[in-house]
Amino acid sequence: MAFVGKLVARLPEKILVRVLPHAEMLKFLVVGGIAFVVTTVLFFGIKWTVLPQHPVTANILAVLIATVLSYVLNREWSFAQRGGRQRHHEAALFFIVAGIGLAINQVPLWISSYVFHLRQPNVSLLMENFADFISGSIIGTLLATAFRWWAMRRYVFPEPVVTESLPTPAVSDSKSAPRD
């Protein structure tokens, strides 16, 4: 993400001091923002064309596609400084966490669609799409993002990568250290 590096290089030092301790979270949120846009575009694209009667299914498909993109970006950028797991184990845990996040994401949309019946003919097409956006894309995404942030750091990418540095030999000053 060369663009981000250039952007960070232009930030004043006062801001950098406050931002850098939260760099991992900010990267996670940028990846989440990208995944959000992908999910929203795919969700409404699928809902308006292929699955107009099945908004939850359309949202699940959109989230699944965005999740694959999210794994790659989180692994290679957001949590690049973390490790502790073999890649296949890490990927399996990522998709388990993402699956739970997917379920969490669907709950508000399901409630909006099937409990409050914010579907046509009960409401207008505009109101149905507005309710789907608020419940599925906003509320569901916020709930799932909070869960994913916690679970990614706790289970998927648990440990910061520690770079082993060679111990620096103690420099003794022969004049100040008396010898026996």
Side-chain angles (χ1 to χ4, degrees):
M1 297 255 169
F3 169 74
V4 176
K6 290 178 183 177
L7 181 67
V8 169
R10 294 176 188 245
L11 289 175
E13 189 174 336
K14 288 171 82 174
I15 294 174
L16 276 176
V17 170
R18 293 180 184 247
V19 169
L20 286 180
H22 307 289
E24 190 176 71
M25 180 188 290
L26 294 172
K27 289 177 183 180
F28 177 79
L29 292 173
V30 168
V31 169
I34 293 167
F36 173 79
V37 170
V38 169
T39 300
T40 302
V41 168
L42 290 174
F43 168 55
F44 284 105
I46 294 168
K47 180 182 178 273
W48 291 340
T49 58
V50 182
L51 298 170
Q53 300 302 317
H54 305 284
V56 174
T57 304
N59 201 28
I60 289 171
L61 290 172
V63 170
L64 286 173
I65 293 166
T67 298
V68 173
L69 174 65
S70 177
Y71 173 69
V72 173
L73 292 176
N74 275 308
R75 172 76 206 95
E76 299 301 324
W77 189 52
S78 302
F79 298 110
Q81 300 303 314
R82 290 180 165 263
R85 303 209 185 277
Q86 294 177 352
R87 187 71 58 118
H88 68 280
H89 190 225
E90 176 185 275
L93 286 172
F94 181 92
F95 286 103
I96 289 169
V97 167
I100 295 168
L102 174 68
I104 291 169
N105 193 293
Q106 302 314 306
V107 170
L109 179 60
W110 185 85
I111 291 170
S112 170
S113 296
Y114 302 113
V115 174
F116 295 139
H117 302 288
L118 297 175
R119 308 243 50 84
Q120 286 185 310
N122 300 330
V123 297
S124 69
L125 179 62
L126 179 63
M127 184 60 186
E128 175 185 319
N129 285 298
F130 181 72
D132 287 351
F133 178 74
I134 296 299
S135 61
S137 297
I138 302 295
I139 297 170
T141 299
L142 288 173
L143 292 172
T145 298
F147 167 75
R148 286 181 182 124
W149 169 249
W150 170 79
M152 293 295 173
R153 290 177 48 91
R154 172 97 173 142
Y155 299 109
V156 182
F157 307 108
E159 302 166 10
V161 174
V162 178
T163 56
E164 293 185 31
S165 60
L166 297 174
T168 56
V171 178
S172 64
D173 186 7
S174 60
K175 293 180 183 176
S176 64
R179 292 197 159 176
D180 291 319

